[in-house]
Amino acid sequence: MSSGSNSEPYSVYTGLIRQGEADHRQLRLIRLQNGMQVLLIHDVNSPTSAVGLCLSAGLLHDPVDCPGLAHFCEHMVLEGEEYINSDKYPTGRIGSDTAATIFRETNYESTIDHYALEDKIQRFAAFLSRPVFLKNVIFEQVLCVHSEFQNYLQDDERRIADLDKYLSKSGDPWSAFDIGNWETLTAAGKVPPSHGKIDDGAEWIETLRSKLQEWYSKYYCANRMHLVIIGSHPIDELTSMAAKYFSPVTAGTVGPQASATTFDSPWSADEEGTVVLVKTVKELREIEVRWIMPSQTLLYRVKPLDYLTRFLHHRGEGSLYRILRDRGWIDGLSASRYAGDRERGFETYYVAFTVTESGWHAWEAVVAALHKYISLVRDTVIKDPEFACAVQQELCSLSDLDFRFRETLKPAAEANLLGTNLAKRIPPVDLIMGPYVTEAWDAPLVSATLAMLTPCKARVMLKGRESLKDVELRGTCVAIDGAAWSQTPWFNTEHMVLRYAGCNSPTYSSDDATAEGLHLFGPNPYVPKDFTVVDGKKDGVEPILAPRKIVETSLARLWYKLDDRFGESKGSVTFDIRSDLEDTPRGELFDLILAKLLSDHISEDLASAAQCFLKCSFYCQSGGLFVTISGFSDKIPVLLEVVINKVVNFVVTPDSLQLAQDYARRRLQNAFLGSPVDRAEGTLEYLLEEDATESVAEKLGEMDAVNVSAIQERLSNIVKEVYILGLVHGNFTEQSARDMLQLVQEVLRCRNPTSKASEVISTRNYFLPEGRNFVYDAPNNNKADENSGLAWVCQIGEKTSALLRARLILFTAIATSSICDQLRYREALGYTFKVKGHVGSTTIAFRVSIQSSTHSPAYLEQRLEACLIEQVRQRLLEMQADEFERTFKLPRARGLRRRRQPANVHREASMFWQCISARDTEFNHDELVAQSIESLKPVDVLQFFDEYIDPRARTRRKLSVHLRSARHAPPETPSVDLQAFRSTLFPNNTLSKGTPLTQTNV
């Protein structure tokens, strides 16, 4: 970097930072005198400004005697700062901004309107440099961290990640517990006090505060910080802001994160070559093979492991997936790198299989086939260099396409990503381009990397619940001395560790018969070739804000819009194919099974297309089919034709049906083990939606009706009489849009129109009676889960009223901070807190959801309703017009209008489709709501509260669902059957109208 002038407290990087062809942003990389790296991005097209900071300190920097301190510090830093307030409870919380602590990093990100960027930067710098560690806040945040830990106790992904780290070599820092909880942070017992208040004279608070201040002073220093600022301001203004507000941050005495020069694995020979049986919370059947590998971070030009991943994700003939699936052993395969410790130079690579019941019995053959395939891939590097080089060249070409036409991330996500790249020590020239683009071929490096993926270096995890008893352990595994079922210390994950009998066992030999038929594949048929852009974008001409309806018949409606905003060779196509079939528990079960069957049937094409950046969403529900494809326009019609033909001509077989039915059964059974708050919200949806079926019990009760002929008949009935809604948007002519609709109609043999399917809104919401407050209470049948869930809703009115939606948006913005401040932070009622203005099928509502391990749902609702009166209404009464205008009204109106300026073709198409599905075919809903917001005053929002939300209001329509854990006392009255309860809510079957949005609704 070159030094700035004497008056500039920073130096400037003067070299090249490579950008994509369409990336016209202005970049500047500087280093402040205190050592902080800052990347400044001037982007006139960015919808908002953003600030992101990556601190090179995280979970692995916890002191030995205080696990979870780094995570706890992240919580405390967000709680306020000296600049905002130092003599009372802090009000400087970042609001909706987010933070996350991972192994060697802590990431903060913030989104703000352009006009308020400098104020945000000032506060952002203040909370990082002058946080307030108040006594009462320490207590509240320890409770918050503990509640977060409690939420993870039933999360299999978290449990297994903890187990994998726990099974490191003895005493290795990688094995440490890092989330933190009440016990590790306070040393004051295993659980918090039941009264939820600070104990007078609690010595642990001062002890923890001292540790926190010491840790913060050591690690929160400028030479460990990597800052990114994105805004529409001129680059010199952004530079001036960064230098002014971040230069005072202390340089620190601990040097920046070291770059690893050696490979220091957390596994010794004792941890390698093992088989781990893991008991899960949910019913899973998964085989996961893991290796500890040298860090690939700085190998981004070659990306050696991507060469193998390319083959593992292939699903066509000769692929590992196809061979194992055709044998009835697996129905899913994934492979990926996983973060490790850059300071020690390692990361994890894993291959995971979702297996069938017969796959459990053949797990050894599945793993053997994997090793055979890896060997086959490695052999190509050595024995067929021409083929290997061609594969790498395709990877290079695809990665170059990905970067050249890279879709813009949200500004905060972009800032987070680039801050992390700075922390990874990626050279400035490749800071933006490097992680995306594969540019070189290094056969010795790739071969040496793949040579490390051997059975003797691997850890095989067999993950299951009841199904684990079906695993057969033959001579391949032997017990380690003292091997027995044991539990991890914090998550109580039951597991047993065994060892391979020998890496040269016949079961694992490379010529194993189970791997016959494996071979590699040639070029990808979905690689785009034609990048011609249909001339739609005109300089100086504003883009058209809505698609046109170009087809309306008794069989279909089709909307079309030529891209006139982005000028790229990309597009998006959506077809919603609707039938007359009624929603019943049996029909929904059949649709779930069909969705699995059809997704598996087209998975080969979808996997190949995904490697070429064609995104395809396909599902089967409500007696219909839905497909949307986005990406390079050249290959969208090709993939659409393949998908529709394969779906229509699909033939159900007994073997494929058995796998799909087993998948559906496990998925439904696992629904009983979901998080209490998610299940409470699901119950709420069931109670309020027309024609809804009780998603789990009723569907499981229809399993005996499943057979080949019934499922085949269901598919035939779906496609027999249909009505098609379509949207074609992007780099397509109008004729090509019509051709795609005609293709779909011809494949489906559309002949007969339907009466029901032409209705754009197929389901509606029930209206609760005015002045009623309903509570549905039920036990959480997962006895191991100590959490309870509350889902609470106040219905507002028709979705079509722009004025009501405007009032709901403003009220939600004001209420969210008050509710979260009081209930989540001050009272620490729970970690999972959701406050939102909910848009249903045809109605809108204000919803709050809380999950808590310490309080019953009844208590949560009591405190929520008190907060609405005592905090929310009081804030509305005291709110000044200028605060209302500046903080709430103008930002929300701007936000709605920004949505009419999407970042890419796919997002614009999604915006159009939301309007089509909501019957807003004027495509001006956001503008109508924005205009309504601009007309509102504080008194309007207060009146809205008094009419629709206030617990004392006679016109309020309130429903709540209580899902109680076993630790919380049952209610005085016994639980009521869910269907019987639903019938009491709507004796007159009062449904919303579901009318189109028009100006008269404003």
Side-chain angles (χ1 to χ4, degrees):
M1 289 192 177
S2 66
S3 299
S5 67
N6 293 335
S7 62
E8 296 173 340
Y10 56 83
S11 56
V12 182
Y13 170 75
T14 57
L16 174 68
I17 300 177
R18 295 192 294 172
Q19 298 172 247
E21 294 177 6
D23 187 351
H24 302 299
R25 299 175 299 176
Q26 184 180 3
L27 277 59
R28 178 181 290 171
L29 180 62
I30 67 173
R31 186 183 296 275
L32 303 181
Q33 289 181 351
N34 57 15
M36 185 185 300
Q37 274 188 303
V38 184
L39 177 64
L40 305 152
I41 302 177
H42 165 62
D43 184 359
V44 294
N45 296 316
S46 179
T48 61
S49 293
V51 183
L53 185 135
C54 180
L55 175 75
S56 291
L59 303 173
L60 292 172
H61 295 89
D62 280 343
V64 176
D65 64 342
C66 195
L69 187 62
H71 179 206
F72 177 65
C73 186
E74 169 224 307
H75 278 245
M76 288 299 301
V77 163
L78 288 175
E79 283 305 297
E81 69 282 343
E82 183 180 325
Y83 163 70
I84 298 297
N85 205 329
S86 61
D87 58 359
K88 63 180 181 179
Y89 189 87
T91 59
R93 189 174 295 110
I94 310 301
S96 62
D97 304 337
T98 59
T101 308
I102 54 178
F103 299 128
R104 290 287 181 185
E105 299 164 4
T106 303
N107 293 296
Y108 297 90
E109 64 181 54
S110 175
T111 300
I112 190 65
D113 281 324
H114 294 304
Y115 76 92
L117 177 60
E118 183 168 4
D119 180 61
K120 174 63 74 172
I121 289 175
Q122 185 178 11
R123 298 179 67 178
F124 202 88
F127 83 75
L128 285 169
S129 59
R130 299 187 298 276
V132 177
F133 298 146
L134 299 180
K135 182 177 178 179
N136 63 320
V137 181
I138 288 176
F139 179 80
E140 292 157 6
Q141 289 309 305
V142 170
L143 292 178
C144 190
V145 169
H146 183 75
S147 179
E148 185 176 352
F149 165 70
Q150 291 287 110
N151 278 5
Y152 295 147
L153 288 176
Q154 298 296 302
D155 185 326
D156 281 317
E157 185 176 348
R158 287 277 185 170
R159 291 164 62 87
I160 291 168
D162 173 76
L163 171 64
D164 186 59
K165 292 172 74 252
Y166 172 72
L167 294 176
S168 300
K169 57 191 176 186
S170 178
D172 192 280
W174 185 248
S175 66
F177 175 63
D178 52 30
I179 297 172
N181 60 18
W182 177 269
E183 182 177 356
T184 66
L185 293 173
T186 71
K190 291 185 177 296
V191 295
S194 58
H195 53 70
K197 299 178 181 178
I198 303 176
D199 292 321
D200 293 336
E203 295 182 2
W204 67 263
I205 291 185
E206 288 303 325
T207 301
L208 178 59
R209 185 178 185 182
S210 176
K211 290 180 179 179
L212 179 63
Q213 289 174 327
E214 179 183 358
W215 194 91
Y216 170 86
S217 298
K218 181 178 181 179
Y219 290 109
Y220 273 70
C221 48
N223 56 2
R224 283 181 169 266
M225 292 181 179
H226 314 277
L227 176 69
V228 179
I229 300 175
I230 301 174
S232 62
H233 300 64
I235 198 76
D236 288 338
E237 284 188 28
L238 296 175
T239 305
S240 176
M241 292 180 202
K244 177 180 179 180
Y245 295 113
F246 284 93
S247 290
V249 177
T250 304
T253 57
V254 178
Q257 182 180 23
S259 298
T261 56
T262 58
F263 172 47
D264 180 15
S265 173
W267 294 358
S268 68
D270 291 337
E271 285 72 45
E272 297 173 339
T274 56
V275 176
V276 182
L277 307 184
V278 188
K279 289 187 178 178
T280 56
V281 173
K282 293 186 176 181
E283 184 53 85
L284 305 178
R285 281 199 295 259
E286 292 184 3
I287 301 171
E288 188 174 286
V289 186
R290 297 190 179 202
W291 295 268
I292 297 293
M293 300 291 290
S295 175
Q296 308 284 297
T297 299
L298 297 181
L299 303 177
Y300 56 85
R301 290 182 183 273
V302 179
K303 300 181 177 66
L305 286 172
D306 283 8
Y307 182 82
L308 172 62
T309 305
R310 170 81 165 84
F311 289 100
L312 289 172
H313 283 168
H314 178 53
R315 297 200 167 193
E317 184 180 353
S319 67
L320 179 62
Y321 172 85
R322 175 70 71 84
I323 293 292
L324 298 179
R325 191 199 69 179
D326 288 351
R327 302 207 175 199
W329 290 346
I330 72 168
D331 63 4
L333 186 159
S334 61
S336 183
R337 295 165 52 200
Y338 182 71
D341 186 347
R342 290 197 305 275
E343 288 190 13
R344 293 173 59 185
F346 74 82
E347 63 183 49
T348 302
Y349 186 75
Y350 72 87
V351 181
F353 303 91
T354 304
V355 299
T356 64
E357 186 174 350
S358 59
W360 266 140
H361 298 292
W363 72 268
E364 295 154 307
V366 172
V367 175
L370 169 63
H371 288 296
K372 169 67 176 179
Y373 199 66
I374 293 173
S375 177
L376 184 64
V377 173
R378 180 172 177 251
D379 285 348
T380 66
V381 180
I382 302 169
K383 300 177 181 179
D384 193 351
E386 184 176 344
F387 173 80
C389 191
V391 171
Q392 186 75 351
Q393 183 58 47
E394 185 175 284
L395 284 172
C396 292
S397 299
L398 288 172
S399 68
D400 181 62
L401 279 177
D402 183 30
F403 184 72
R404 283 171 53 200
F405 298 98
R406 183 170 75 100
E407 293 184 347
T408 307
L409 299 176
K410 291 182 179 179
E414 180 84 353
N416 191 318
L417 173 66
L418 294 175
T420 301
N421 288 347
L422 286 170
K424 289 178 178 179
R425 298 295 189 265
I426 292 175
V429 65
D430 294 328
L431 185 63
I432 295 178
M433 186 174 182
Y436 285 91
V437 179
T438 304
E439 298 183 279
W441 174 239
D442 188 334
L445 175 61
V446 174
S447 178
T449 301
L450 300 188
M452 299 182 68
L453 302 173
T454 66
C456 291
K457 293 289 186 180
R459 169 181 290 164
V460 178
M461 281 190 165
L462 306 179
K463 301 181 284 187
R465 193 181 183 201
E466 297 299 324
S467 60
L468 203 60
K469 65 180 182 296
D470 297 326
V471 174
E472 295 184 11
L473 300 173
R474 294 183 280 270
T476 305
C477 298
V478 296
I480 299 174
D481 291 343
W485 285 102
S486 58
Q487 294 183 341
T488 56
W490 299 106
F491 284 84
N492 299 321
T493 306
E494 290 189 76
H495 64 281
M496 180 188 292
V497 182
L498 306 170
R499 184 171 298 286
Y500 295 148
C503 294
N504 296 321
S505 165
T507 307
Y508 287 92
S509 64
S510 62
D511 60 350
D512 192 279
T514 61
E516 289 181 0
L518 289 173
H519 62 264
L520 304 182
F521 59 94
N524 191 320
Y526 293 102
V527 175
K529 305 294 184 184
D530 184 359
F531 299 99
T532 304
V533 176
V534 180
D535 189 15
K537 184 178 180 181
K538 307 289 186 183
D539 291 338
V541 178
E542 286 296 312
I544 297 172
L545 297 178
R548 292 184 294 114
K549 190 193 304 181
I550 60 173
V551 174
E552 180 162 20
T553 70
S554 61
L555 295 171
R557 294 180 204 167
L558 178 67
W559 282 265
Y560 162 76
K561 181 176 181 290
L562 172 65
D563 170 37
D564 57 355
R565 185 186 297 274
F566 304 102
E568 297 179 345
S569 55
K570 290 189 173 183
S572 180
V573 172
T574 298
F575 287 103
D576 186 358
I577 302 165
R578 302 185 173 190
S579 76
D580 264 337
L581 299 180
E582 297 287 342
D583 284 335
T584 64
R586 178 174 297 186
E588 291 190 11
L589 172 63
F590 285 7
D591 287 347
L592 177 61
I593 292 172
L594 262 177
K596 175 62 175 172
L597 286 167
L598 296 172
S599 296
D600 286 348
H601 186 54
I602 62 177
S603 63
E604 173 186 344
D605 293 279
L606 297 192
S608 297
Q611 291 179 337
C612 300
F613 317 111
L614 276 179
K615 301 174 184 177
C616 179
S617 297
F618 171 84
Y619 54 86
C620 175
Q621 68 176 27
S622 300
L625 305 172
F626 181 90
V627 60
T628 181
I629 304 173
S630 63
F632 291 105
S633 54
D634 178 28
K635 297 296 182 179
I636 286 179
V638 177
L639 182 59
L640 177 65
E641 182 174 7
V642 169
V643 169
I644 296 298
N645 269 294
K646 285 194 170 185
V647 167
V648 171
N649 298 308
F650 176 70
V651 177
V652 183
T653 65
D655 289 343
S656 63
L657 178 58
Q658 181 180 353
L659 298 181
Q661 186 176 8
D662 179 59
Y663 160 83
R665 180 182 287 107
R666 281 185 286 117
R667 177 171 167 175
L668 293 172
Q669 289 172 341
N670 284 336
F672 289 115
L673 301 173
S675 72
V677 71
D678 288 344
R679 290 163 55 204
E681 288 179 329
T683 301
L684 204 64
E685 295 287 351
Y686 163 75
L687 290 171
L688 293 175
E689 190 163 298
E690 178 191 18
D691 297 329
T693 58
E694 192 175 350
S695 60
V696 177
E698 291 180 312
K699 291 178 188 177
L700 283 171
E702 296 288 348
M703 277 292 179
D704 290 341
V706 175
N707 57 64
V708 170
S709 61
I711 299 299
Q712 191 72 61
E713 182 181 4
R714 178 72 175 182
L715 177 59
S716 299
N717 289 336
I718 287 176
V719 301
K720 183 169 59 177
E721 294 183 352
V722 299
Y723 189 89
I724 301 173
L725 296 176
L727 169 66
V728 176
H729 172 47
N731 190 45
F732 303 104
T733 63
E734 180 174 331
Q735 186 57 50
S736 63
R738 294 177 182 274
D739 290 345
M740 281 187 271
L741 173 61
Q742 184 177 352
L743 164 71
V744 174
Q745 290 180 313
E746 288 178 352
V747 174
L748 292 171
R749 302 178 184 87
C750 294
R751 297 290 183 272
N752 302 314
T754 65
S755 56
K756 175 188 172 184
S758 60
E759 291 295 324
V760 177
I761 297 179
S762 56
T763 59
R764 293 179 291 175
N765 294 126
Y766 284 108
F767 263 142
L768 295 164
E770 271 193 2
R772 299 296 302 275
N773 296 278
F774 296 99
V775 177
Y776 177 74
D777 184 279
N780 180 0
N781 293 322
N782 181 4
K783 304 300 181 185
D785 193 343
E786 296 184 352
N787 291 293
S788 291
L790 167 70
W792 177 99
V793 64
C794 278
Q795 284 187 320
I796 306 303
E798 293 282 353
K799 175 181 178 178
T800 52
S801 170
L803 183 58
L804 279 181
R805 291 188 71 167
R807 291 178 175 179
L808 176 61
I809 287 171
L810 287 181
F811 172 75
T812 302
I814 295 168
T816 297
S817 58
S818 296
I819 292 172
C820 289
D821 280 354
Q822 180 64 33
L823 303 184
R824 186 185 181 194
Y825 297 107
R826 298 193 185 193
E827 299 185 27
L829 296 186
Y831 175 74
T832 301
F833 243 87
K834 306 176 188 178
V835 182
K836 63 180 180 179
H838 177 73
V839 180
S841 298
T842 53
T843 61
I844 58 174
F846 179 65
R847 284 174 52 162
V848 179
S849 301
I850 309 172
Q851 182 165 294
S852 176
S853 62
T854 55
H855 298 287
S856 69
Y859 180 79
L860 297 177
E861 179 163 354
Q862 175 190 338
R863 294 303 307 137
L864 170 61
E865 303 233 322
C867 178
L868 289 171
I869 297 172
E870 296 165 9
Q871 274 78 35
V872 177
R873 192 175 193 281
Q874 189 62 31
R875 187 176 185 192
L876 291 172
L877 284 170
E878 297 173 355
M879 183 167 292
Q880 299 298 310
D882 60 337
E883 179 191 2
F884 179 77
E885 186 93 4
R886 182 184 69 257
T887 308
F888 298 104
K889 190 165 89 171
L890 291 181
R892 268 67 195 179
R894 289 193 189 101
L896 286 167
R897 291 195 169 103
R898 279 198 301 268
R899 284 168 47 168
R900 295 169 68 84
Q901 300 174 347
N904 53 60
V905 168
H906 176 62
R907 290 184 192 172
E908 187 169 38
S910 297
M911 178 181 71
F912 293 151
W913 186 257
Q914 287 175 2
C915 292
I916 291 170
S917 61
R919 302 181 77 178
D920 173 22
T921 52
E922 297 297 321
F923 300 94
N924 62 349
H925 170 265
D926 286 341
E927 178 60 29
L928 292 177
V929 177
Q931 290 174 12
S932 295
I933 286 177
E934 290 171 334
S935 71
L936 294 176
K937 299 177 181 179
V939 66
D940 298 318
V941 182
L942 179 61
Q943 291 173 351
F944 173 88
F945 173 85
D946 289 341
E947 181 176 357
Y948 296 105
I949 310 295
D950 194 323
R952 300 161 297 188
R954 294 184 178 182
T955 52
R956 187 172 82 149
R957 311 168 187 259
K958 193 275 300 181
L959 170 64
S960 60
V961 174
H962 296 184
L963 199 63
R964 288 176 289 102
S965 70
R967 67 181 297 179
H968 295 134
E972 296 180 1
T973 57
S975 296
V976 178
D977 175 76
L978 184 59
Q979 289 178 297
F981 178 80
R982 187 186 189 200
S983 65
T984 66
L985 295 179
F986 314 107
N988 299 319
N989 289 329
T990 309
L991 284 164
S992 66
K993 298 175 183 178
T995 52
L997 181 70
T998 63
Q999 190 68 36
T1000 58
N1001 296 121
V1002 176

